[in-house]
Amino acid sequence: MSPDRHPRAEAPDAAPPVRAWARIGRLRAWGLVLPAGVLYAVTFGIPLAMLLGASFARFQGGVTTPGFFLDNYVKIATDGVTLAVFRNTVSLSLLITAVGLACALPVAMLMRRAGPGLRLVAMFVLVSPLLTSIIVRNVAWMLILGRSGMINSWLIDAGLISAPLPLMYNRLGVVIAVVHVYLPFAVLPIYAALRAIDPARERAAASLGAAPWRVFVHVTLPLAAPGLIAAFTLLFILSMGLYLTPVILGGNFVVTLPMMITDAARNQYNWPYASAMSVLLLASIVAVVAVSAVLGRLFAVPRDA
Amino acid sequence: MTAVALDGVVKRYGGVTAVDGIDLQVGKGEFLTLLGPSGCGKSTTLQMIAGFVLPSAGRIRIGGRDSTRLPPHRRNVGMVFQNYALFPHMTLADNVAFGLRMRGVAKAERRRRAGEALAVVQLTGLADRYPGQISGGQQQRVALARALVIQPDVLLLDEPFGALDKQLRDRMRIELRDLQRQLGISLIFVTHDQEEALSMSDRIAVLSEGRIRQLGTPDGIYRRPANRFVAEFMGHSNILPARVVEASGDRALVRAGGLLLAVSGRLSAGGDIELMIRPERIGIGPADAGAAIRGRVAGMQYLGASLHYRVVVEGGTELSVVTPDPGEGRRVPGDPVALAIPDGAPFVIGS
């Protein structure tokens, strides 16, 4: 065993030279992440600092004054509109996440049971929306969901409804189109978690008298929790950043915070306010990541106390 | 009274027949082992009793009830899996109490009975640990307690000691056997290890290619194998083709290579038979002129407690001989030796 390859393997009786080697090994390990670290600092850290700085600038009469002002945050808290849109964005994201998880779980369970061929087909079908241009995808949904779109004309032709159903220019249309494209981000982590479950555990539960639904509730679901938490986090984060799909399929009826940010920056040239709203968006995402990290620990299987 | 009865049970997967017509009755309180090489159908048979696999034909009765088509959770069967299959997200107490919870037993009562079951397997005090925090042997015991606490009609164990090291395996054998006797549980044990089967079972069913090749007591199966497969599978054996030289009543004289041996069994002169002699039944000593069977050591394997010789006797037949290690005076390859095959040691396979 070479000490430099096992920097943490410190025996209590390790001689000083070994410790020195271990320290060098640790430094070398840090050296490995240096290129990625520099890249992140330049492309992520610095812009983030600039964003934070800009959010404290003052914007008055079309003129931006750098400095430390709380104007923008006061505006967020008091203008009534921004917070309403923020709440709307959060509730839309939660809705998309809930619908997405509900759709993803059965798909992941099916993929777990499927043979390799069917699994490959399912994987391709799931990922295919990601390979399509977002504009094309949304326009296709308009053709399907519109007043005289595919679904409404079928239903009217079949005599099931007399007037077209409102399937888009509302939350419903946005949720359908977004879940369609984000589904793989929910299915894959859940599928990975389900695959890691030893089927003997579920059989053990059945042999102990658990009906199939109780096996699912008491064994499968808790053991798949890490995958569900990951899927929840991914879906929520992705949904908080929605812009184009609500614009196209929501009409002017679904307004998200990213839409407001774009408007402030591009139409009003109010970069400080756009920055402050971005900080709010970012903070809410960090909060969700933190919560899911805590949840992840809660559901982690205890080992070697 | 039978705990489990299999009646002409068959399992086919597509064109492959995994289990090919098994009839078997396990008595109340009996320890029965399904023994065989991998792919012999023993695990499939167990899975059918547990309800995880539906038979293609035949009937299965458990506790007097026709259970052929019953789903696993409706059968009162306890199962211990090879890798224990504990619930890693539950404490040991919750693992053990799971079956009681599914049966609607109240919480306090559950807790009490789980504690008792853990005491039976000597794990008192670990109730609040998680499976990931205990050793493999302890996990095995939790799995046992979890299956026992529901008071199953039959306890099924699928190669339960496969993942344990040899010492622990030997200890678990004794513990399981004692526990089974003490609680009077009906038990079906699946293994490919003949030593495990011999040391624990009331009866053994030797399986190959989906059929029972022999069903009997450990002693009967070891000493009186019904066919060549069983003779070879149950430990080392010398199997010699032989011809009956002379027969009278239930005694006969047979010739196997250069050996002339007396055997018991109703045989007819001139017939071809197969003879089995267990290596530990053959005596080995220094060569002397008067010995009936003389040979030369071709090889010796040191096994600690015993020595395993290969001896070529006059006529070219090679025999395996196992003796306790005398410490002094071991034979080495090339040594001339004399062999003694006592009366009753040669067994005519299938007689």
Side-chain angles (χ1 to χ4, degrees):
Chain A
M1 191 165 72
S2 55
D4 55 336
R5 282 219 265 152
H6 298 271
R8 290 205 199 151
E10 279 182 313
D13 58 347
V18 176
R19 274 172 198 258
W21 271 110
R23 208 169 302 131
I24 291 168
R26 229 165 314 188
L27 282 176
R28 214 189 277 174
W30 281 110
L32 290 174
V33 299
L34 195 66
V38 169
L39 188 73
Y40 251 69
V42 172
T43 61
F44 189 69
I46 294 173
L48 198 65
M50 286 168 69
L51 183 82
L52 205 61
S55 75
F56 290 107
R58 173 167 282 170
F59 182 84
Q60 234 166 13
V63 181
T64 302
T65 320
F68 189 81
F69 305 101
L70 289 173
D71 298 22
N72 299 310
Y73 292 100
V74 171
K75 189 178 171 194
I76 286 175
T78 54
D79 77 349
V81 178
T82 315
L83 273 187
V85 169
F86 175 69
R87 273 196 300 273
N88 189 49
T89 309
V90 171
S91 75
L92 178 70
S93 299
L94 286 174
L95 184 64
I96 289 168
T97 306
V99 173
L101 288 181
C103 294
L105 187 59
V107 175
M109 288 172 68
L110 203 74
M111 278 173 67
R112 181 191 184 198
R113 274 164 208 222
L118 184 58
R119 199 176 296 150
L120 203 68
V121 171
M123 204 80 94
F124 180 76
V125 170
L126 274 175
V127 177
S128 61
L130 290 170
L131 307 174
T132 321
S133 142
I134 183 168
I135 305 286
V136 172
R137 208 182 330 115
N138 282 318
V139 170
W141 275 116
M142 292 179 82
L143 296 178
I144 295 170
L145 301 173
R147 278 183 66 84
S148 50
M150 205 176 81
I151 294 177
N152 274 322
S153 38
W154 279 357
L155 288 176
I156 290 172
D157 290 350
L160 292 170
I161 53 170
S162 51
L165 297 171
L167 299 177
M168 57 178 237
Y169 296 141
N170 55 22
R171 282 191 157 200
L172 179 65
V174 177
V175 169
I176 291 173
V178 172
V179 167
H180 170 233
V181 64
Y182 286 170
L183 204 56
F185 295 106
V187 170
L188 293 180
I190 299 174
Y191 169 64
L194 286 175
R195 259 192 81 144
I197 300 175
D198 179 0
R201 298 208 159 106
E202 291 159 303
R203 289 184 161 199
S207 79
L208 291 166
W213 70 269
R214 297 180 96 177
V215 175
F216 180 74
V217 169
H218 291 291
V219 179
T220 315
L221 218 46
L223 291 180
L228 287 164
I229 293 168
F232 170 86
T233 313
L234 271 174
L235 277 188
F236 186 80
I237 291 173
L238 288 169
S239 305
M240 285 296 282
L242 280 177
Y243 171 73
L244 209 53
T245 304
V247 166
I248 298 175
L249 285 165
N252 287 321
F253 302 97
V254 180
V255 183
T256 64
L257 200 56
M259 285 163 73
M260 266 191 92
I261 293 169
T262 312
D263 183 60
R266 291 174 78 183
N267 300 336
Q268 304 166 29
Y269 300 104
N270 190 345
W271 285 87
Y273 194 53
S275 301
M277 285 190 288
S278 300
V279 170
L280 172 67
L281 192 64
L282 205 61
S284 64
I285 287 171
V286 168
V288 167
V289 171
V291 166
S292 64
V294 170
L295 278 178
R297 262 175 208 221
L298 231 60
F299 279 97
V301 166
R303 270 178 215 292
D304 304 325
Chain B
M1 193 55 197
T2 50
V4 176
L6 306 189
D7 182 13
V9 170
V10 174
K11 181 64 196 179
R12 279 183 289 267
Y13 291 103
V16 184
T17 304
V19 173
D20 193 8
I22 287 200
D23 297 296
L24 186 64
Q25 300 204 332
V26 184
K28 273 232 163 78
E30 184 181 22
F31 191 128
L32 183 124
T33 297
L34 301 177
L35 173 68
S38 58
C40 72
K42 57 189 192 298
S43 277
T44 308
T45 305
L46 203 72
Q47 303 272 323
M48 286 192 282
I49 299 169
F52 301 129
V53 172
L54 282 183
S56 312
R59 307 216 70 76
I60 297 173
R61 292 179 73 79
I62 300 169
R65 191 161 60 130
D66 186 345
S67 307
T68 315
R69 308 252 137 212
L70 226 50
H73 68 278
R74 307 262 308 277
R75 305 179 183 207
N76 193 31
V77 159
M79 180 127 182
V80 175
F81 295 80
Q82 180 167 15
N83 51 5
Y84 325 127
L86 297 178
F87 308 129
H89 56 299
M90 297 182 197
T91 62
L92 303 191
D94 288 342
N95 262 279
V96 175
F98 187 84
L100 300 173
R101 189 172 167 199
M102 294 302 113
R103 281 161 175 74
V105 176
K107 197 167 183 179
E109 169 79 359
R110 259 175 8 219
R111 181 88 199 168
R112 187 183 64 75
R113 281 170 65 183
E116 281 174 11
L118 282 171
V120 166
V121 295
Q122 296 158 41
L123 286 177
T124 311
L126 296 184
D128 295 322
R129 296 271 191 96
Y130 285 86
Q133 301 170 334
I134 59 174
S135 72
Q138 290 172 324
Q139 290 188 31
Q140 181 59 265
R141 288 179 199 184
V142 176
L144 202 56
R146 185 177 67 173
L148 283 173
V149 79
I150 60 171
Q151 297 175 329
D153 291 325
V154 63
L155 187 61
L156 310 175
L157 296 98
D158 191 1
E159 308 245 7
F161 305 151
L164 303 177
D165 60 55
K166 184 163 172 21
Q167 276 190 4
L168 197 52
R169 204 155 58 209
D170 291 348
R171 209 171 71 217
M172 286 302 294
R173 258 187 221 170
I174 298 168
E175 277 182 28
L176 177 65
R177 183 54 162 153
D178 287 352
L179 200 63
Q180 183 266 338
R181 282 225 178 97
Q182 184 190 321
L183 302 177
I185 318 155
S186 316
L187 192 153
I188 303 178
F189 190 95
V190 161
T191 184
H192 63 272
D193 183 334
Q194 44 94 11
E195 209 177 285
E196 215 162 74
L198 290 172
S199 64
M200 292 191 293
S201 319
D202 290 317
R203 282 192 305 158
I204 299 172
V206 184
L207 272 72
S208 88
E209 289 164 359
R211 290 168 182 272
I212 295 180
R213 298 286 150 174
Q214 189 171 3
L215 177 66
T217 61
D219 181 65
I221 284 195
Y222 186 76
R223 290 177 46 193
R224 295 182 295 281
N227 50 58
R228 187 173 176 139
F229 174 81
V230 174
E232 283 183 329
F233 194 73
M234 302 305 295
H236 291 294
S237 58
N238 295 293
I239 294 176
L240 310 170
R243 172 157 292 172
V244 182
V245 178
E246 209 181 294
S248 69
D250 59 355
R251 299 289 295 170
L253 203 60
V254 302
R255 177 173 295 282
L259 303 173
L260 202 60
L261 299 163
V263 298
S264 55
R266 294 193 169 277
L267 303 169
S268 48
D272 287 322
I273 56 159
E274 274 186 321
L275 214 56
M276 179 198 77
I277 311 172
R278 292 286 179 199
E280 70 276 11
R281 301 287 304 272
I282 305 177
I284 187 167
D288 65 74
I293 306 168
R294 277 171 301 188
R296 201 168 281 279
V297 175
M300 193 271 276
Q301 215 187 342
Y302 177 64
L303 298 173
S306 62
L307 302 176
H308 189 162
Y309 292 106
R310 282 180 296 122
V311 177
V312 178
V313 299
E314 287 162 349
T317 308
E318 185 178 291
L319 291 176
S320 288
V321 178
V322 173
T323 66
D325 180 18
E328 310 274 311
R330 291 176 194 150
R331 322 278 155 205
V332 293
D335 279 3
V337 290
L339 298 184
I341 301 178
D343 203 29
F347 176 76
V348 180
I349 291 173
S351 70

